[in-house]
Amino acid sequence: MAVTMRDVARYAGVSPRTVSNVVNDFELVSDATRQRVRLAIDALGYRPNLMARSLRRGRSGLIVLAVPELNIPYFSELAGAIIDEAEKHSYTVVIEQTDGHLDSERRLLDQSDRTLLADGLIFSPLALSHTELRQRSSDIPVLLLGEHVTDGMYDHVGIDNIGAARAAVEHLLQIGRRRIAAIGHQFQLSGETAQYRTQGYRATLEAAGRRFDPGLLASTPSFHRDSGARAMAELLDLPDPPDAVFCYNDLLAIGAMRMLSQRGLRVPEDVAVVGFDDIEEGRFTTATLTTISPNKRQIAAEAVGQLFRRISGDDGPARTVEAEFHLTVRESTVGTPTPEP
Amino acid sequence: MAVTMRDVARYAGVSPRTVSNVVNDFELVSDATRQRVRLAIDALGYRPNLMARSLRRGRSGLIVLAVPELNIPYFSELAGAIIDEAEKHSYTVVIEQTDGHLDSERRLLDQSDRTLLADGLIFSPLALSHTELRQRSSDIPVLLLGEHVTDGMYDHVGIDNIGAARAAVEHLLQIGRRRIAAIGHQFQLSGETAQYRTQGYRATLEAAGRRFDPGLLASTPSFHRDSGARAMAELLDLPDPPDAVFCYNDLLAIGAMRMLSQRGLRVPEDVAVVGFDDIEEGRFTTATLTTISPNKRQIAAEAVGQLFRRISGDDGPARTVEAEFHLTVRESTVGTPTPEP
DNA sequence: CTGTTAGCGCTTTCAG
DNA sequence: CTGAAAGCGCTAACAG
């Protein structure tokens, strides 16, 4: 079987206690002893048993990151950043995909198998309603990503969605667009993020003295590319189609641009497009994508940092952090400055 | 503190043994007792301590999936599939990003912190050489994804890269292309996958009676979009530029298409493009992307299945599984059949 | 069908 | 600075 601490202790002629001290870098060991123990460890090829350690310490060193889907680039990029960030705290990340299903999301807070091992949960809920979120309580610290729906029950990291939507729409107004549509509104109660973006969209139009036209607000069943394409098609079929569209994420925008090119329309000349998330993909679309760029590294760092603080025992009131964002202007709104020869 | 099995036992008036039986669905418990224990569990809100269970059982229920980067869509799509597949075996996946760094890859086989907890490792090495891979030996079962470089030392799931490259190039020949370039060759010894694709590319050209022109073989430092764009630019600057290009993954192809459109060239009229991986993104590029489509669900299922077999004690000789693939033909080689109005 | 009991490998209190 | 010993919560012989 595996070589244990006891084996090392015997081999080095010390007690397990001392081996533990060496392994965990406790300073109160004489250099001579430390040397001897190190040698024994190498000689025997000892590796600490993390399960035993976890059991004893009462912590697993694992956190769960629950997102809708890993193949939504925003989430895979964020997950990558969170994994890196967690590593800085010596934490390991387990990813759980909810597919936006209510059941999966419920199970997470119920301490299902997956979360049973974990010391904490970073959760980006999609289907779970406001109220339900508030009713349930998890044994481990939970940090919410996305909208601040929680009245001080959970720690939370998000961005100012209203402000971000405003930045997007103002940009479209600035470049002289007259009929600005939006793609990505959700009907479900749970889609708080979308609600806020719609709110920002509408408010900005009205502040600019434009009439809000409900016909230009396209709801989508998902945040995937195909939904964006379908929604764009519908908008183009209107008697008076838009000359600009603000999409609630980059995937929708990419689907919309695909549909525009299929219909033989040019971006941005015929229709300008703004996305949201700033995924890598948007830098290589045929018209590169103007988009709202949330600071993902900051989101990751704050999320892990906050959660870590809780795991370490902080018991203060729930905190909300708003991460930074900015508008990244690319070809899909302003065209190619100097077309290459 | 947390409520333990002992507490439940006391409450229900049975022994811990019986509680354990109930929790683990061992059939040899009378219905009456089972009922009583269930009630006790609910009443006390008992949750099994997975760390204790793991320690006792000698298994953590965790496997590590090590990939270069999660924001390479091929890997995030594959990771999603592997997570789903692992769940079927009640296994949880921890993702480790190597960034293709040699050190990170070495640490994985050395049983670093991250793999110390795990029962097995699914590993997609990038930098680690053939020989080094063979020298190191991990305590836990390891399954390799990618190229079959291992002479029976590791289980392995891959696809027939030579055959796949042939399918891609033959398609380009079939549609009448004369100067077919390739993007994605790697110089490093470790890039076995690229080597095989180059081999298939070259052999297919020669079998068709074409001369292999080394000038049309573009090496890239990475498999990212920007590398594809740069390589395409160089090919276009040749005195006699290609009229088709086979890219070793979809990201390179997308970068290449971006460069083509920047240079005012049309896909596929001026240059036809074939990719590799069939990531979602390729279905929404301005010319949708013709690509080699490996069966990712199959790869995930085989990888998890094989590894699970090993974890369960199978000690037979190493196996290699070749997953299926097919060529998915889209606009980037054959254009739009019937352009929408 | 159920109870008793030992022990997985580690950390940590308490002595010395 | 180091040793002895208890015990984290669970499972699985073994016994009945």
Side-chain angles (χ1 to χ4, degrees), chain A residues 97-125:
Chain A
Q97 303 185 92
T98 63
D99 293 319
H101 288 336
L102 197 52
D103 290 350
S104 324
E105 298 198 351
R106 281 198 184 122
R107 259 197 304 274
L108 280 165
L109 295 181
D110 283 352
Q111 298 281 90
S112 71
D113 281 352
R114 207 60 24 88
T115 42
L116 231 39
L117 247 186
D119 298 338
L121 169 64
I122 297 178
F123 187 15
S124 179

Side-chain angles (χ1 to χ4, degrees), chain A residues 195-209:
Chain A
Q195 311 288 350
Y196 281 108
R197 293 183 189 172
T198 297
Q199 206 174 312
Y201 159 74
R202 182 173 181 163
T204 309
L205 286 185
E206 286 169 349

Side-chain angles (χ1 to χ4, degrees), chain A residues 73-74 77-78 81 277-280 294-301:
Chain A
Y74 175 74
E77 291 181 13
L78 188 65
D277 285 348
D278 193 13
I279 62 178
E280 277 248 350
N295 188 334
K296 295 189 200 97
R297 295 229 80 90
Q298 188 195 4
I299 293 173

Side-chain angles (χ1 to χ4, degrees), chain A residues 14-15 17-18 29-30 33 56:
Chain A
V14 298
S15 79
R17 164 77 221 237
T18 304
V29 182
S30 75
T33 313
R56 189 60 241 240

Side-chain angles (χ1 to χ4, degrees), chain A residues 4-16 19 36 40 44:
Chain A
T4 89
M5 208 160 206
R6 209 191 206 71
D7 300 330
V8 176
R10 212 165 2 226
Y11 187 96
V14 298
S15 79
V19 179
R36 210 141 36 89
L44 301 179

Side-chain angles (χ1 to χ4, degrees), chain B residues 3-5 7-9 11-12 18-20 22-24 34-48:
Chain B
V3 25
T4 91
M5 206 160 200
D7 300 331
V8 177
Y11 188 96
T18 303
V19 179
S20 178
V22 172
V23 170
N24 294 292
R34 185 190 307 283
Q35 227 17 277
R36 208 140 39 87
V37 172
R38 287 253 165 80
L39 249 45
I41 288 177
D42 287 349
L44 301 179
Y46 167 73
R47 296 280 159 197

Side-chain angles (χ1 to χ4, degrees), chain B residues 14-15 17-18 28-30 33 55-56:
Chain B
V14 298
S15 79
R17 165 75 220 236
T18 303
L28 6 83
V29 183
S30 76
T33 314
L55 174 59
R56 188 60 243 239

